[in-house]
Amino acid sequence: MKKITVLVACLLAGAAISAQQTQTPPATPPPAPTGYQDTPMQPNGKWHVHDGMRPQPRVVTPGPFVSLAPPSDAIVLLGSGTDLSKWQMTQGGGPVGWPVADGVMSSGKGMIRTTQDDFTDYQLHVEFATPSEVKGNSQGRGNSGVFLNGVFEIQVLDSYQNVTYPDGQASAMYGQFPPMVNASRKPGEWQSYDIIFKGPRFEGDTLKQPATVTVLHNGVTVHAAQTYLGPTMHKQIGKYAPSNAKGYIGLQDHGNPVRFRNIWIRPLAEAQ
Ligand code: MG
């Protein structure tokens, strides 16, 4: 009797093991560099630069797209035609090699920048669309960027159902502050940034007032007079230098074909 009990127990155990073995294993997520833990801590002492454990911003569906036409005193950087005369290659300063047609410019080889390089405080409107054909993930999907005073990046990325480290997603102050919420539209759809930037102030070499930025992503506030901790860098935070007080507007080539249109800027005057 004892032998039979042992035999039945062995059979049951074997059945349990084989049932476990035939279960479908959990799907392994695709490898994605969603963050870093070996980077410096943010000054708040809570998160590393590009910390993948930082909370993901809540998703907000923006209202219908509205294309904001330039006001009469705006400097139109990219209008309805093919005029790229207000832009140059960042390296070398030659004419821009990015393709343009009917007011739509697609990011190509090399970073570009405005020819004007003395912007300080301004309102900047940018419309962009990440590729409608989704390729890659995390930072490899629709990556570009808008550089304020040449060194402070507002990230451009396809952040529609695309997890990445929060301080690197669309409209993030890259490597420093995630947007308050994720107001991204779908891949291929036109989106807008309305950026109000105040450049840093120096007395001699001493920083007197850091740069601040307010950003609306698709009409949704994602930064409200947030302070830049320093110039944008990958995996670290840059240090302020007097040369950051003014600069150009730059657009990043990150190897993904991101489209841009309707870009204009209004330098801000002090209230009288
Ligand atoms: Mg970028």
Side-chain angles (χ1 to χ4, degrees):
M1 187 64 189
K2 195 176 177 187
K3 275 187 181 168
I4 292 171
T5 309
V6 170
L7 182 65
V8 169
C10 286
L11 285 172
L12 284 173
I17 288 166
S18 75
Q20 275 176 1
Q21 285 169 342
T22 52
Q23 275 175 3
T24 315
T28 19
T34 51
Y36 298 86
Q37 298 286 315
D38 60 349
T39 46
M41 290 298 285
Q42 300 272 359
N44 67 13
K46 290 202 289 191
W47 312 109
H48 290 267
V49 174
H50 311 320
D51 201 324
M53 303 305 287
R54 201 168 182 168
Q56 293 285 327
R58 177 170 59 93
V59 171
V60 170
T61 305
F65 183 83
V66 177
S67 183
L68 206 57
S72 62
D73 64 349
I75 301 168
V76 176
L77 298 171
L78 180 62
S80 56
T82 57
D83 181 9
L84 296 184
S85 63
K86 292 196 168 61
W87 298 88
Q88 64 183 58
M89 299 307 295
T90 304
Q91 294 288 326
V96 168
W98 291 14
V100 61
D102 299 328
V104 178
M105 174 171 68
S106 300
S107 61
K109 200 102 188 94
M111 306 246 310
I112 68 167
R113 49 158 279 193
T114 55
T115 52
Q116 185 169 342
D117 63 357
D118 60 352
F119 294 116
T120 53
D121 303 340
Y122 40 87
Q123 172 187 357
L124 174 66
H125 178 83
V126 176
E127 296 179 11
F128 67 94
T130 62
S132 45
E133 188 190 346
V134 172
K135 282 185 186 167
N137 56 25
S138 188
Q139 292 290 300
R141 189 167 139 184
N143 196 333
S144 181
V146 179
F147 281 78
L148 311 170
N149 281 23
V151 292
F152 303 100
E153 185 183 13
I154 296 295
Q155 172 73 310
V156 171
L157 195 76
D158 176 0
S159 285
Y160 186 84
Q161 298 175 355
N162 175 33
V163 173
T164 190
Y165 43 86
D167 70 23
Q169 73 163 69
S171 77
M173 296 161 70
Y174 184 79
Q176 300 184 23
F177 291 100
M180 294 174 186
V181 294
N182 180 354
S184 295
R185 295 189 193 278
K186 293 177 181 171
E189 293 186 4
W190 284 105
Q191 309 193 49
S192 65
Y193 285 161
D194 288 286
I195 297 169
I196 300 161
F197 179 78
K198 293 200 85 170
R201 301 291 195 268
F202 294 84
E203 265 180 31
D205 286 346
T206 308
L207 178 69
K208 286 292 169 189
Q209 192 180 307
T212 60
V213 74
T214 296
V215 180
L216 278 71
H217 183 191
N218 297 320
V220 179
T221 303
V222 292
H223 300 291
Q226 185 63 272
T227 297
Y228 269 104
L229 304 170
T232 299
M233 295 186 78
H234 182 54
K235 296 174 79 170
Q236 54 184 305
I237 295 168
K239 289 197 168 33
Y240 273 103
S243 60
N244 306 146
K246 57 184 177 182
Y248 55 78
I249 306 301
L251 295 178
Q252 187 184 43
D253 163 29
H254 206 284
N256 305 142
V258 174
R259 292 177 294 153
F260 292 93
R261 73 176 186 192
N262 189 23
I263 304 177
W264 50 263
I265 189 169
R266 292 183 62 248
L268 301 179
E270 294 289 334
Q272 300 300 309

